[in-house]
Amino acid sequence: MTTNQGVRPGGRSARVQASVHKAVTELLDERERGELTVPMIAARAGVTPSTIYRRWGDLNELLGDVALQRIRPDGEPADTGSLKGDLLAWGIQYMEETASVPGRAVVLDLLAAGGDCSGRCLEIARAQFGILLERAVARGEPVPDKDLIVDRLVAPLVYRILFSNQQLEEGYVEVLVDGVLEGVAS
Amino acid sequence: MTTNQGVRPGGRSARVQASVHKAVTELLDERERGELTVPMIAARAGVTPSTIYRRWGDLNELLGDVALQRIRPDGEPADTGSLKGDLLAWGIQYMEETASVPGRAVVLDLLAAGGDCSGRCLEIARAQFGILLERAVARGEPVPDKDLIVDRLVAPLVYRILFSNQQLEEGYVEVLVDGVLEGVAS
C-alpha cells in the first residue's frame, strides 16, 4: 500500500483521498464495520467504486489506511524532564487510546489489512521513541535500545489489550517502564 | 462462548461439534477465509444453519472456537532439564507455529471472535507455564512470575509476528528468555 507517498497536498489525488477517508470515518460512526462496502463508501465520498479499487485494492486495505491515519500522533510526545517520566506519559496515553473501543477497532483494521499496514504502525511508535531517546541523550541519561522499548513496553500493552479482558491500570505501565530501564543498566 | 464446557464426549452434542469443526477445517484448506459462510459450513457438516447460529452465535465465534482448538497444545511442554532450556524450547516452537501462515490466521480469527475467545488463548499459555514453573521449583531453581513470562516472552513474539515483516530468529527468543530470567534475579 503506497497511498500516502507522493500525494501532492491540495492536488486532485489528495482531495480524493481526503474525501474517501472522511466518508469511511463518518460511516464507521454510523454503522458496524462489517456492514461497510466499497460502493457505499464511494457513494458517500462522491467517487466511483473503481476509483477506490484502483487506489486501495480492496476494502481491508482502505480501512487499514484510514486506521493508520488515526494512529498518527498529533505532535511530539510530552517532555516531562526525564526518560522515565516521558516513557510513563507515553505509555499511559498509548494504553488509554489503544484500550478504547475505537482504538481496539483500529488495531484490528491494521491487522486485517496485512503486513505493510501493520508494519508502519511499529515504525510510527519507533519514530516517537527516537524523539524521547534524543532528549534523554541530551540530558546525559543512559538510554535503552528502541527495540527494548518495543519489546518491554509496547508489546505487553498491545498483547494484554488484545488478548485479555482485564482492565489495565497505570501501575502496570509503571512496572513495564521499570522493566525497560532495568534493561539499560544491565 | 461456552461451547466446550459441558459437552459430553460421544454425545450428540459432541458429535455435532466435531462434525462442524471438521467442516470448517476442511473448508479453510480449500478456500479463502472470507469466502466461508454459515450455510456452506452447515451443508458440509450435515447440520442446519440454525444449529450453528444457536450454538456459536455467528461465523466469527465459530471460527474463533475452531482456532482455539488448533492452538491447544498436544501435550506437556518439553522437559530439557532447566527452566532456561524449557522456556527456550517453548518459545522457539511457539514462534515457529505462530509465524506460519495458518498460525497467523488462527490468531486473527481469535481476535475477530472477540474477548472471551482471545482471553482463553492467554489462559492456555499460562497453563503451560504453570507446568514449566512446577518443574523448576522441584529442581530448586528460582522462578519468575507467570505474568513476567507473558510480558517478556509471549507478548514480544506475538507483537512482532503481527506487526512487523521481519523474519524472527532463534537468537531473538534467546534474548527474550534472558530478559525473563533477568527479571527473576532482580
Side-chain angles (χ1 to χ4, degrees):
Chain A
M1 205 176 52
T2 54
T3 48
N4 288 308
Q5 277 108 41
V7 173
R8 186 163 43 85
R12 190 176 54 194
S13 179
R15 285 201 307 273
V16 166
Q17 181 171 311
S19 166
V20 170
H21 275 222
K22 183 162 170 284
V24 170
T25 307
E26 285 174 10
L27 286 165
L28 282 174
D29 281 342
E30 297 164 20
R31 291 163 176 270
E32 292 290 315
R33 183 203 191 288
E35 293 173 32
L36 264 59
T37 64
V38 168
M40 183 193 292
I41 294 164
R44 176 72 63 104
V47 303
T48 62
S50 64
T51 301
I52 291 180
Y53 290 120
R54 200 163 41 239
R55 185 186 290 226
W56 282 277
D58 63 21
L59 180 62
N60 273 344
E61 290 246 348
L62 170 56
L63 292 176
D65 190 39
V66 172
L68 207 58
Q69 294 291 335
R70 285 193 175 196
I71 62 164
R72 231 172 263 284
D74 298 328
E76 294 211 346
D79 188 345
T80 66
S82 74
L83 179 59
K84 179 169 179 168
D86 284 5
L87 287 172
L88 210 51
W90 187 91
I92 289 169
Q93 192 186 344
Y94 186 82
M95 176 184 78
E96 283 169 355
E97 287 175 3
T98 312
S100 68
V101 173
R104 200 174 183 279
V106 159
V107 174
L108 294 182
D109 280 347
L110 285 169
L111 289 176
D116 244 35
C117 225
S118 46
R120 280 209 261 155
C121 183
L122 178 56
E123 288 317 309
I124 289 171
R126 287 172 61 92
Q128 295 271 299
F129 299 145
I131 298 171
L132 297 190
L133 295 179
E134 267 178 36
R135 279 185 204 150
V137 168
R139 285 186 207 111
E141 293 183 89
V143 295
D145 194 83
K146 276 184 207 169
D147 278 319
L148 195 71
I149 308 181
V150 171
D151 285 340
R152 295 208 179 167
L153 179 58
V154 183
L157 284 175
V158 171
Y159 183 80
R160 292 198 182 259
I161 287 166
L162 293 181
F163 287 97
S164 87
N165 297 320
Q166 70 194 124
Q167 180 80 35
L168 299 179
E169 311 281 347
E170 293 192 3
Y172 176 63
V173 180
E174 215 159 328
V175 169
L176 296 178
V177 167
D178 286 343
V180 172
L181 298 176
E182 186 188 293
V184 185
S186 69
Chain B
M1 205 176 57
T2 54
T3 46
N4 288 307
Q5 276 108 41
V7 172
R8 186 163 42 85
R12 191 176 51 193
S13 180
R15 284 202 308 273
V16 166
Q17 182 171 311
S19 166
V20 170
H21 274 219
K22 183 163 172 282
V24 170
T25 306
E26 285 174 10
L27 287 165
L28 282 174
D29 281 343
E30 297 165 18
R31 292 163 177 268
E32 292 289 318
R33 183 204 191 288
E35 293 173 33
L36 263 60
T37 64
V38 169
M40 184 193 291
I41 295 163
R44 177 72 64 104
V47 303
T48 63
S50 64
T51 301
I52 291 180
Y53 291 120
R54 198 162 43 239
R55 185 186 289 227
W56 281 277
D58 63 21
L59 181 61
N60 273 345
E61 291 247 347
L62 170 56
L63 293 176
D65 189 41
V66 174
L68 207 57
Q69 295 291 336
R70 285 193 175 198
I71 63 164
R72 234 172 261 282
D74 298 327
E76 294 212 345
D79 187 346
T80 67
S82 75
L83 179 59
K84 178 167 180 168
D86 284 6
L87 287 173
L88 210 52
W90 187 91
I92 289 169
Q93 193 185 346
Y94 186 82
M95 175 182 79
E96 282 168 358
E97 287 174 3
T98 312
S100 69
V101 174
R104 199 174 183 280
V106 159
V107 174
L108 294 181
D109 280 346
L110 285 169
L111 289 175
D116 244 34
C117 225
S118 45
R120 280 209 262 156
C121 181
L122 178 55
E123 288 318 308
I124 290 172
R126 287 172 62 91
Q128 294 271 299
F129 299 145
I131 299 171
L132 297 191
L133 295 179
E134 267 177 37
R135 280 185 205 152
V137 168
R139 285 185 209 111
E141 292 184 89
V143 294
D145 194 82
K146 275 184 208 169
D147 278 319
L148 195 71
I149 308 181
V150 171
D151 285 340
R152 293 207 179 169
L153 179 59
V154 184
L157 285 175
V158 172
Y159 183 81
R160 290 197 183 260
I161 287 166
L162 293 180
F163 288 97
S164 88
N165 296 320
Q166 70 194 126
Q167 180 79 34
L168 300 180
E169 310 281 347
E170 293 192 5
Y172 176 62
V173 180
E174 214 158 328
V175 169
L176 296 178
V177 168
D178 285 343
V180 172
L181 298 175
E182 185 188 297
V184 185
S186 72

